[in-house]
Amino acid sequence: MREFAPCNRHLSIERIEDEDEENVTTKVLLPDEYKTSKDHGIYRVVGSAPDCLRAFRSDTLVVVEEHLVRSLRTDREYLIVPEGAVLMVSK
């Protein structure tokens, strides 16, 4: 199994599941297949390209613009995002 590393100022990330997201109740009747879209999400950094302007440590939590997250599939799924899509970093 091959491992791939991000390059060109990208981060490899993994999604943090939001427990509250599934337990939301609304007062509006929606179809069962309706999915909400979020502007941003919380992710854990798995790796970063060596040319990133900021040094992102593995396991750092970041808030990222959802529409810029890309899913790449080889022998497994990789989520990558450009460094500029990071809005906030955990301390």
Side-chain angles (χ1 to χ4, degrees), residues 29-75:
L29 185 59
L30 299 171
D32 291 336
E33 60 275 352
Y34 179 80
K35 294 192 179 206
T36 59
S37 63
K38 298 184 337 183
D39 293 339
H40 60 277
I42 300 175
Y43 292 82
R44 178 176 287 113
V45 175
V46 176
S48 62
D51 59 350
C52 283
L53 298 177
R54 184 184 192 287
F56 290 93
R57 291 187 326 265
S58 292
D59 292 331
T60 300
L61 297 181
V62 291
V63 178
V64 172
E65 293 186 63
E66 285 285 350
H67 71 279
L68 294 175
V69 175
R70 295 178 63 186
S71 173
L72 303 175
R73 187 168 288 285
T74 57
D75 49 345

Side-chain angles (χ1 to χ4, degrees), residues 12-38:
S12 179
I13 56 177
E14 65 181 19
R15 187 178 314 276
I16 303 294
E17 297 297 326
D18 188 2
E19 296 172 3
D20 295 333
E21 187 176 298
E22 294 181 12
N23 298 328
V24 174
T25 57
T26 62
K27 297 185 185 230
V28 178
L29 185 59
L30 299 171
D32 291 336
E33 60 275 352
Y34 179 80
K35 294 192 179 206
T36 59
S37 63
K38 298 184 337 183

